[in-house]
Amino acid sequence: MSLAASKRSRLILALDVFASRGSTETISGHVERLLEELGDIVVGVKIGLPLLLSLGVSRLKRLITGFGDDYYMIADFKLADVPHIMEYSLERLREMHFDGAILHLFPMGYERVIESFRGKLGMYGVALMSHEGCKLLESGFDALLDYALKLGLDGVIIGATKLKAIKKARAKLGKNALILSPGVGYQGGREASALEAGADFEIVGRLVTLSADPRASAQRIVDAQRKVLRL
Ligand code: O7M
């Protein structure tokens, strides 16, 4: 949150796909330039399988350590395994110098896992996804929110396309957990609308990464956020 305050931004960049593709070196160079360009207006970076599989572990680790002071680094592998594998995986992510990690909540039974990483790695649980048709999550939404509260997670993920759910979650969670909201732009969410509904951060990928002018696109999102939240 201190990065969010100093940058006057609530934008987390999803580093999934890029305008330029090609060799590992090309992608790596592209990502580095992007992160150099956006350091003053983007708060966090969300990294998942697309980038890991493009760069490999060593390069990704170098990227995380290289930019770790400028961005909050979130590992998005939506972990959903048995507790001992969760612990093993989270420990490896911590060794890679990620600041936070995303897990699914629906398997439940993660009390000890969360406890053992408290204060070491930020923990964020998926409560409701942004796409149409995720019916099981929709029907379990209340239970997942209750579970996130019980675990004392740092935050939950709720799609920016589900504004009513964000409002409901904010009322239920109070100030006890952050709401991170993906789905702005390509998936239909309007810039800053999730924040208006009560989310704390917007996770945005293609609107920035596929833009001919990523800096201008990110700036437009942040301007909308500043207006709505009076940052
Ligand atoms: O802005 P986009 O659509 O290019 O990318 C959205 C990113 O958010 C992408 O990295 C997805 O994996 C992620 N995301 C969703 O789009 N919807 C969800 O419900 C959840 C996530 C996510 O980040 O979960 C942690």
Side-chain angles (χ1 to χ4, degrees):
M1 281 307 268
S2 63
L3 282 178
S6 64
K7 296 185 184 186
R8 297 170 52 234
S9 162
R10 301 302 174 90
L11 179 56
I12 295 171
L13 183 66
L15 278 181
D16 301 316
V17 291
F18 307 100
S20 79
R21 300 186 188 194
S23 68
T24 308
E25 282 73 25
T26 314
I27 296 173
S28 182
H30 186 92
V31 170
E32 279 177 28
R33 280 194 299 282
L34 201 57
L35 294 187
E36 275 158 16
E37 202 182 351
L38 299 176
D40 58 330
I41 50 170
V42 169
V43 178
V45 172
K46 186 183 79 78
I47 292 168
L49 275 181
L51 194 64
L52 172 66
L53 297 177
S54 301
L55 296 187
V57 171
S58 318
R59 266 182 201 271
L60 188 54
K61 200 169 166 182
R62 248 181 286 144
L63 190 80
I64 294 166
T65 44
F67 289 94
D69 290 340
D70 305 322
Y71 297 97
Y72 186 85
M73 296 286 184
I74 308 178
D76 177 18
F77 298 100
K78 297 190 182 65
L79 303 172
D81 215 314
V82 289
H84 76 283
I85 300 296
M86 295 290 281
E87 278 183 33
Y88 185 82
S89 306
L90 289 166
E91 192 52 44
R92 301 286 84 75
L93 294 174
R94 206 168 76 88
E95 282 168 9
M96 286 181 78
H97 300 290
F98 276 109
D99 300 298
I102 292 170
L103 54 132
H104 268 300
L105 294 171
F106 65 80
M108 297 190 153
Y110 290 157
E111 285 75 1
R112 284 211 356 236
V113 176
I114 298 299
E115 214 40 62
S116 62
F117 284 91
R118 201 175 297 290
K120 298 181 191 161
L121 195 62
M123 293 294 206
Y124 304 88
V126 177
L128 186 60
M129 297 188 76
S130 53
H131 63 292
E132 283 304 311
C134 58
K135 294 203 186 312
L136 271 181
L137 290 186
E138 268 165 28
S139 61
F141 182 57
D142 283 313
L144 294 176
L145 284 181
D146 287 340
Y147 190 53
L149 266 178
K150 180 174 175 235
L151 290 178
L153 291 184
D154 296 279
V156 294
I157 313 294
I158 303 174
T161 49
K162 316 260 165 104
L163 298 179
K164 273 192 202 150
I166 293 176
K167 281 188 193 142
K168 187 174 185 182
R170 177 48 71 213
K172 195 163 200 160
L173 299 172
K175 291 188 172 173
N176 291 311
L178 298 172
I179 299 175
L180 278 49
S181 210
V184 174
Y186 276 59
Q187 296 186 50
R190 185 174 46 81
E191 292 147 13
S193 64
L195 301 184
E196 255 171 331
D200 297 284
F201 290 93
E202 292 179 307
I203 298 172
V204 184
R206 291 164 292 174
L207 200 56
V208 176
T209 56
L210 294 185
S211 167
D213 187 346
R215 167 93 202 174
S217 301
Q219 187 68 60
R220 260 195 302 279
I221 299 166
V222 172
D223 286 345
Q225 296 180 336
R226 287 176 179 167
K227 202 164 159 199
V228 162
L229 296 182
R230 297 168 205 272
L231 297 173

